Amino acid sequence: AQSVAQPEDQVNVAEGNPLTVKCTYSVSGNPYLFWYVQYPNRGLQFLLKYITGDNLVKGSYGFEAEFNKSQTSFHLKKPSALVSDSALYFCAVRGNNAGNMLTFGGGTRLMVKP
Amino acid sequence: GAVVSQHPSRVICKSGTSVKIECRSLDFQATTMFWYRQFPKQSLMLMATSNEGSKATYEQGVEKDKFLINHASLTLSTLTVTSAHPEDSSFYICSARAAHGTGELFFGEGSRLTVL
């Protein structure tokens, strides 16, 4: 069975500082990894994905994530946080079989303070 | 990017009534759509997988007679909450997987159901 762990319920960071939201996963075979962001009372918005290729993936709004196979991690990062980045972030994984479901982590609330 | 439209975004109903939520893929064909439920401050819980032209596959613990799912076309899936009760109040989100590509999911904006 595949699983995703986001060990932090909440991450607090000051505006302008770098941010990291952690994600580790477990899946059979090669992983497809995703990050989504959710603003209050909204659906999920796609940020970025790793399928294959470079381990460092760049996505929307200046976010990036690094795939680390040995540590089975896919941490989300941004060099300089904005107050508007405050939201709920979900990491998700699926195996490379087309029929595999997407499994979500529990979510991490990012709070960026001015 | 691909767009998934979910309607209504908010609905309030009386206990015992039924509510239908629509999920449409606007610019792509979705052979598979997923319905999730999200409780406050929690992650998404997959309720069911909807395949066009066939019966939905429900996750363990989800009552199929309570949450009716229909996927009549490649661009539309509906979730009907039958005989709604206050405990059904939640945020429901659909997603659609394009027929081609890497299997990325595109999400609707969600529907907040409040049952009085």
Side-chain angles (χ1 to χ4, degrees):
Chain A
Q2 55 193 39
S3 64
V4 179
Q6 291 180 244
E8 303 152 315
D9 289 338
Q10 181 160 319
V11 170
N12 298 309
V13 64
E15 187 174 32
N17 284 359
L19 68 88
T20 299
V21 182
K22 295 180 180 177
C23 171
T24 58
Y25 67 90
S26 174
V27 69
S28 297
N30 295 322
Y32 289 2
L33 293 154
F34 304 84
W35 274 101
Y36 294 89
V37 59
Q38 184 181 29
Y39 297 98
N41 292 314
R42 304 287 295 275
L44 276 70
Q45 295 180 34
F46 171 78
L47 276 181
L48 51 80
K49 66 182 177 184
Y50 171 83
I51 303 299
T52 185
D54 289 340
N55 289 344
L56 184 64
V57 179
K58 293 186 183 296
S60 306
Y61 313 118
F63 284 93
E64 57 188 30
E66 186 165 13
F67 169 61
N68 188 315
K69 188 173 183 178
S70 63
Q71 297 185 3
T72 61
S73 67
F74 190 57
H75 301 331
L76 181 70
K77 300 181 179 183
K78 187 173 182 179
S80 178
L82 299 172
V83 173
S84 57
D85 292 330
S86 298
L88 193 56
Y89 290 81
F90 291 98
C91 179
V93 69
R94 61 180 282 261
N96 59 357
N97 185 309
N100 286 351
M101 297 297 107
L102 194 64
T103 298
F104 287 88
T108 299
R109 184 165 299 282
L110 173 66
M111 297 291 291
V112 182
K113 297 183 178 179
Chain B
V3 177
V4 175
S5 173
Q6 199 171 329
H7 178 80
S9 58
R10 291 176 182 267
V11 57
I12 300 173
C13 70
K14 293 182 178 180
S15 186
T17 60
S18 295
V19 175
K20 180 184 285 187
I21 301 170
E22 293 186 346
C23 179
R24 294 180 184 272
S25 57
L26 296 187
D27 51 1
F28 67 99
Q29 293 184 330
T31 53
T32 305
M33 289 185 173
F34 304 88
W35 286 95
Y36 298 84
R37 184 173 179 176
Q38 186 180 31
F39 293 99
K41 300 182 180 180
Q42 293 191 32
S43 187
L44 285 80
M45 179 191 77
L46 180 64
M47 297 174 65
T49 302
S50 166
N51 293 298
E52 186 266 338
S54 63
K55 292 183 178 180
T57 302
Y58 290 82
E59 296 299 302
Q60 190 173 8
V62 178
E63 300 176 59
K64 60 182 180 181
D65 295 330
K66 173 78 171 173
F67 299 99
L68 299 179
I69 291 173
N70 182 277
H71 193 159
S73 75
L74 286 172
T75 59
L76 174 64
S77 176
T78 60
L79 167 68
T80 301
V81 182
T82 62
S83 187
H85 290 282
E87 57 265 31
D88 299 326
S89 299
S90 191
F91 195 53
Y92 293 89
I93 301 176
C94 75
S95 68
R97 175 182 289 166
H100 306 286
T102 57
E104 178 182 336
L105 294 184
F106 301 97
F107 288 83
E109 288 289 293
S111 299
R112 180 161 298 287
L113 170 64
T114 302
V115 184
L116 302 177

